[in-house]
Amino acid sequence: MKVNKIELKGFRNINEMCIEPDSAVNIIYGENAQGKTNILEGIWLFSGLKSFRGAKDRELVGFGNNFSKLKLDFEAFSRNQKAEITVINKRAATLNGVTLPSPTAMMGKFNTVIFSPSFMSVIKDGPSERRKFIDAAICQLKPNYARILSEYNRLLQQRNVILKDISVNAQLYDMLDIIDEKISVSGQAVIDWRKEYLSTLTPFIVDIYGGLSSGREEISFNYVKKSDERNEKTLSDILKEKRREDILNKITLAGPHRDDIEILLNGFSARSFGSQGQQRSCALALKLGEAAVIEKETGEKPVILLDDVMSELDVLRQDYILNHIKDRQVFITCCDPSAVLRMLGGKTFNISKGEIV
Ligand SMILES: Nc1ncnc2c1ncn2[C@@H]1O[C@H](COP(=O)(O)OP(=O)(O)OP(=O)(O)O)[C@@H](O)[C@H]1O
Ligand SMILES: [Mg+2]
């Protein structure tokens, strides 16, 4: 997967810009608020998903413009391809001249992985962020998983409705038996998929994190199931065991919707004990690991977008990023141009007021 050319018109603070990037490392640098992240956002939109900043489509259109136009020439699956996105109130996309039914139809056609500062929440915040990460990563690769996950969530809602009323309606016990049988199957499938993904992801991350820390730190993961510290029960066992408590609390207390993925550095929780640089390295390793799994599954290396990844990292870690992930295309934004000097090869773009200078 490679961007050959990207053109942005009337997009955010960019009036008109054309970039022909290097096939390996590209650095986009400049002062704050000049348009660096906007460029990454423009590339990202071709993945078919909405903005990684959670922006509404119409917010993408540059002030004073009626629409934005984004054009991408890219190489994927050994073919040169062209895609276009027009944003008026909503996004619309074409691929190789054909209008797509929806921009999400770009999914799987142009793969990118983005690290943005908001992704730090996967390390710093509660378990739901880590569940979101792993679920999104699997969904991207296996549409079947998205179906199972939404089935589980639907059953979970039904179960919780039953738990609310069961104390005043004993007839609901039969319904609870039926729903527990079903939810045990789909919930166990969610757990199994996540564990399988984690076991594919782990060796890549161990390798990347080892490189980032010059072999001084070791990263590892644990899939942590609520009410199953020793990791030996099935979801069906857990639901049976917790049933009384669930009825008392009127909510399902255990299951994949409450599980966590513990991230450890040299055996200690990265969330509780990691330094800022270590936490950033972990988040970055997760993203680069995600990219490696996509490559393994699809045979294509996704384009990597790293927004403001350099800050808080020491020179050794920065150099690893600059010079050791160049077998794929990477776009890196930063404020400090000194990183540019340490880069071996690649292209640099200095951005000021939405223009390349
Ligand atoms: N729809 C829009 N129209 C015009 N300008 C916009 C629009 N949306 C955002 N901007 C402006 O774009 C500017 C650049 O934003 P961007 O996030 O790309 O900056 P940046 O170079 O990444 O800065 P930083 O180093 O602080 O992250 C901001 O000043 C913002 O106000
Ligand atoms: Mg930025």
Side-chain angles (χ1 to χ4, degrees), residues 105-167:
M106 275 302 289
M107 279 180 79
K109 311 286 187 211
F110 174 73
N111 288 329
T112 77
V113 162
I114 171 103
F115 171 92
S116 78
S118 64
F119 184 65
M120 290 306 299
S121 59
V122 87
I123 310 293
K124 291 182 172 175
D125 292 357
S128 70
E129 292 299 319
R130 288 175 286 287
R131 291 194 299 265
K132 254 193 265 168
F133 165 72
I134 195 164
D135 288 341
I138 307 171
C139 282
Q140 218 187 1
L141 291 169
K142 313 273 178 189
N144 225 359
Y145 179 72
R147 199 181 46 72
I148 294 168
L149 190 62
S150 68
E151 165 85 353
Y152 174 76
N153 286 324
R154 192 178 58 79
L155 291 168
L156 180 65
Q157 270 182 4
Q158 287 181 10
R159 189 173 194 268
N160 287 339
V161 169
I162 293 173
L163 290 171
K164 276 209 177 67
D165 294 341
I166 206 162
S167 59

Side-chain angles (χ1 to χ4, degrees), residues 261-285:
I261 295 152
E262 201 176 25
I263 305 173
L264 305 168
L265 290 180
N266 294 338
F268 293 100
S269 155
R271 184 184 178 199
S272 309
F273 303 105
S275 73
Q276 275 169 308
Q278 284 177 320
Q279 290 186 341
R280 193 164 274 253
S281 307
C282 278
L284 177 62

Side-chain angles (χ1 to χ4, degrees), residues 56-110:
K56 298 199 175 74
D57 285 352
R58 63 171 178 278
E59 292 169 7
L60 303 170
V61 180
F63 303 148
N65 290 271
N66 295 322
F67 65 92
S68 312
K69 187 107 197 160
L70 299 87
K71 291 187 188 178
L72 182 77
D73 286 9
F74 66 107
E75 202 183 299
F77 307 103
S78 315
R79 269 176 68 200
N80 283 325
Q81 310 196 44
K82 279 180 195 295
E84 285 189 23
I85 292 176
T86 311
V87 192
I88 305 179
N89 273 319
K90 279 187 161 183
R91 288 170 294 142
T94 67
L95 178 61
N96 301 318
V98 179
T99 303
L100 299 175
S102 129
T104 50
M106 275 302 289
M107 279 180 79
K109 311 286 187 211
F110 174 73

Side-chain angles (χ1 to χ4, degrees), residues 31-38 53 117 307-308 333 335:
E31 291 171 1
N32 291 135
Q34 301 305 308
K36 304 182 297 294
T37 302
N38 293 344
R53 291 160 150 181
D307 192 18
D308 209 4
T333 70
C335 294

Side-chain angles (χ1 to χ4, degrees), residues 26-55:
N26 295 276
I27 294 199
I28 299 168
Y29 70 99
E31 291 171 1
N32 291 135
Q34 301 305 308
K36 304 182 297 294
T37 302
N38 293 344
I39 297 172
L40 297 193
E41 190 179 35
I43 299 172
W44 166 262
L45 288 176
F46 286 96
S47 68
L49 297 167
K50 62 182 176 46
S51 165
F52 58 82
R53 291 160 150 181

